[in-house]
Amino acid sequence: MSTPRFADFQRILFFTGAGLSAESGIPTYRGSGGIWAEYDYEDYACQRAFVRDPEKVWDFHDKRRAAVGACEPNDGHRIIAEVQRERAGTSVVTQNIDGLHQRSGATGVVELHGSLWRVRCDREHIVRDDTSVPMSPRKCSCGAYWRPDIVWFEDALDQRTLERAHELLASCDLLVSVGTSGVVYPAAELPRIAMRSGATTVEINLDDTPVSPLYQHRLRGTASDMLASMR
Ligand SMILES: [Zn+2]
């Protein structure tokens, strides 16, 4: 089967994960060199840790903000943003919290795991954008701490965000999964929705994943090279 071309589709959905941002130097979260090999999430990235010691959790997230802020979108992000400009029906659903899609010009990005660049009042649940590094002030005017608007370990995914992702997957005609391991929920479930709706499916990854056999097309290589091959 020849590689599908973006030009042959109207409603393209990019479903992206850590493998896309790895090319920008963003650390992956799992596996060797992943940040959770270095930091125990139970101390830094779950609600229990935040309740116990919000300052420590913010110190860690300020480091993450500084590290991510120093990275630039790569050609993979740029190609996705270009395809979206050329084809109005293009959407992006991501597991990444780094904001690199938006920085490359993508719009309407559905962020399944939240964003490093949004904060939420831990008491009132108001959400706002915040790109300060270090994040300041750490407390809302109500006196409660802001917390990163990230889906931490042990947190549930936001239901409305998940529903939006489902809608887009059910109506796309081309699904391109980029750099997702296929292991973490809902990475394994969401592509099945697109497949059931009859979309053409492409998996871009360096290696095979547990869900690779479900995809019609499997492109092996870096996200930027493989996305370029679909132009
Ligand atoms: Zn508040």
Side-chain angles (χ1 to χ4, degrees), residues 121 123-124 126 140-144:
C121 173
R123 179 184 296 155
E124 303 168 293
I126 309 161
C140 174
S141 56
C142 79

Side-chain angles (χ1 to χ4, degrees), residues 9-145:
F9 298 88
Q10 297 304 319
R11 302 185 61 78
I12 301 168
L13 175 62
F14 293 100
F15 178 56
T16 68
L20 174 62
S21 291
E23 279 181 68
S24 291
I26 305 276
T28 54
Y29 299 106
R30 291 178 175 73
S32 60
I35 63 171
W36 304 123
E38 201 176 330
Y39 292 95
D40 188 345
Y41 83 83
E42 292 197 330
D43 290 333
Y44 299 98
C46 66
Q47 184 65 23
R48 286 180 297 124
F50 189 69
V51 168
R52 198 164 56 231
D53 194 342
E55 294 288 335
K56 179 179 174 179
V57 169
W58 264 120
D59 288 345
F60 171 67
H61 283 80
D62 279 339
K63 275 190 209 159
R64 294 182 77 185
R65 282 182 169 219
V68 169
C71 296
E72 296 294 328
N74 62 62
D75 284 344
H77 295 107
R78 280 189 279 275
I79 291 169
I80 289 170
E82 278 166 27
V83 170
Q84 192 178 41
R85 276 195 294 277
E86 290 160 7
R87 315 192 84 70
T90 302
S91 49
V92 180
V93 175
T94 188
Q95 296 180 295
N96 299 337
I97 61 169
D98 53 42
L100 290 180
H101 280 300
Q102 290 89 336
R103 276 172 60 195
S104 69
T107 55
V109 179
V110 178
E111 296 174 303
L112 289 172
H113 293 169
S115 173
L116 192 53
W117 307 109
R118 277 198 313 269
V119 293
R120 183 170 84 220
C121 173
D122 203 34
R123 179 184 296 155
E124 303 168 293
H125 307 292
I126 309 161
V127 173
R128 66 172 175 82
D129 292 331
D130 184 293
T131 55
S132 58
V133 183
M135 206 292 282
S136 176
R138 286 178 173 179
K139 284 185 178 171
C140 174
S141 56
C142 79
Y145 274 92

